[in-house]
Amino acid sequence: MDDREGSFVAVRRISQGLERGSVYNSSSAEAVPGSAAWLGRGLSCVCAQRRDSDANSTFDLTPAQEECLQSLQNRIDVAYDSTIPLHQEALRDLWKLAFPEEELHGLISEQWKEMGWQGKDPSTDFRGGGFISLENLLYFARNFQKSFQDLLRKQVGDRSVWEYPFAVAGINLTFMLIQMLDLEAVKPRTIVGATFLKFLSENEYAFDLLYCIAFKLMDQQWLSMRASYMEFNAVMKSTRRQLERELMLEDIMQLEDLPSYALLNQ
């Protein structure tokens, strides 16, 4: 599909349809092109396919890296469950961090649309995702409050009349990173994935930190491309390509060394 046609495409979540270590084939996924109503229903099909040169490659891991990868995969596999008190509290915490001056009337409320959820019940947007996407948003809000608020309230730059919805765009970023880093595999099959695991073994929150970097980078790409929501896929593809290039730079010893990390401090 052309980058500028029917921007939002949702497919089933990889882990729901495949076993660990199997190869994902986008042609077999259940793709549904359409409007913004599909954003956040599942993995947005905005990512470049794995290179042919990586198709038969795997990278050996140290015991520490294997343990860190398994721990992250366990997080990815946790579905959001609106009946679990811990999940309910996490959602309330997100609201408090996003709108500390406004009291939340309930976990099902029209207020949630202010944050960029599709409807009054955010749990429906987690259906194709999982609890980790909420954890990512919470980490962003707690650790980079100014950047989080700037993106939530669209306070920086010459914005489009048709803006991307903040919350469900965040869910799509979680999915994009999972695919980009090949985190559904038993062992990484790309150099980018193997490189990330080195960072993960040194920082258990490396995925969450990379998510924050990716969110700010995506918004920068959005502004520089003067995009509207119909071009969201093109923006996400550009974001992924830039992240891959930065992760492959020779002098990157930690995620804080990525050029795009500086965006979080602006």
Side-chain angles (χ1 to χ4, degrees), residues 214-238:
F215 215 141
K216 281 289 287 186
L217 178 60
M218 184 275 290
D219 189 73
Q220 183 193 59
Q221 299 280 342
W222 176 272
L223 292 173
S224 65
M225 294 170 65
R226 300 184 66 84
S228 68
Y229 77 92
M230 290 301 292
E231 297 163 306
F232 187 80
N233 276 355
V235 173
M236 290 284 279
K237 287 179 180 179
S238 178

Side-chain angles (χ1 to χ4, degrees), residues 39-40 116 164-174 211 215 218 232 236:
L39 184 64
Y164 63 84
F166 174 80
V168 288
I171 291 178
N172 273 257
L173 278 165
T174 297
Y211 171 88
F215 215 141
M218 184 275 290
F232 187 80
M236 290 284 279

Side-chain angles (χ1 to χ4, degrees), residues 37 59-60 87 128 146 187 260 264:
F59 296 83
D60 291 331
H87 292 195
K146 182 181 184 301
K187 292 184 179 181
S260 292
L264 288 169

Side-chain angles (χ1 to χ4, degrees), residues 17-248:
L18 301 176
E19 296 296 328
R20 294 256 188 248
S22 59
V23 177
Y24 172 66
N25 183 344
S26 62
S27 64
S28 65
E30 298 167 356
V32 184
S35 68
W38 283 100
L39 184 64
R41 294 294 185 186
L43 175 62
S44 182
C45 188
V46 299
C47 306
Q49 298 302 306
R50 292 173 59 229
R51 301 178 181 85
D52 291 340
S53 60
D54 290 331
N56 298 315
S57 301
T58 58
F59 296 83
D60 291 331
L61 305 177
T62 66
Q65 289 171 344
E66 287 182 357
E67 183 178 352
C68 290
L69 176 58
Q70 183 61 59
S71 178
L72 181 54
Q73 288 175 337
N74 290 341
R75 287 180 63 194
I76 291 170
D77 286 340
V78 176
Y80 179 84
D81 188 338
S82 60
T83 67
I84 297 177
L86 177 65
H87 292 195
Q88 295 173 359
E89 191 60 31
L91 197 55
R92 290 191 185 95
D93 287 345
L94 180 62
W95 178 268
K96 292 175 185 176
L97 290 164
F99 302 107
E101 73 287 351
E102 183 177 348
E103 182 180 355
L104 179 65
H105 298 156
L107 293 180
I108 298 178
S109 169
E110 293 289 338
Q111 291 173 285
W112 287 107
K113 295 179 182 179
E114 298 176 35
M115 197 185 296
W117 300 101
Q118 295 181 87
K120 61 183 181 180
D121 183 2
S123 68
T124 61
D125 289 324
F126 290 116
R127 221 178 280 156
F131 188 57
I132 190 172
S133 53
L134 176 53
E135 290 179 316
N136 289 158
L137 285 166
L138 282 168
Y139 183 90
F140 192 10
R142 286 167 175 158
N143 292 276
F144 301 98
Q145 294 180 12
K146 182 181 184 301
S147 289
F148 179 88
Q149 287 291 335
D150 285 347
L151 298 189
L152 170 65
R153 301 173 189 268
K154 305 294 194 298
Q155 293 179 327
V156 176
D158 183 13
R159 316 301 307 198
S160 169
V161 174
W162 295 99
E163 280 289 325
Y164 63 84
F166 174 80
V168 288
I171 291 178
N172 273 257
L173 278 165
T174 297
F175 295 144
M176 183 271 281
L177 290 176
I178 290 171
Q179 188 181 37
M180 183 187 85
L181 300 173
D182 203 21
L183 296 177
E184 294 288 329
V186 175
K187 292 184 179 181
R189 295 167 295 186
T190 65
I191 297 175
V192 169
T195 299
F196 170 74
L197 288 182
K198 295 178 182 178
F199 302 139
L200 184 64
S201 64
E202 298 171 357
N203 178 1
E204 64 177 311
Y205 296 108
F207 184 80
D208 303 87
L209 178 56
L210 186 60
Y211 171 88
C212 299
I213 296 170
F215 215 141
K216 281 289 287 186
L217 178 60
M218 184 275 290
D219 189 73
Q220 183 193 59
Q221 299 280 342
W222 176 272
L223 292 173
S224 65
M225 294 170 65
R226 300 184 66 84
S228 68
Y229 77 92
M230 290 301 292
E231 297 163 306
F232 187 80
N233 276 355
V235 173
M236 290 284 279
K237 287 179 180 179
S238 178
T239 301
R240 171 171 172 159
R241 287 192 294 267
Q242 182 61 30
L243 281 176
E244 289 178 326
R245 284 193 291 266
E246 293 190 14
L247 285 168
M248 295 300 295

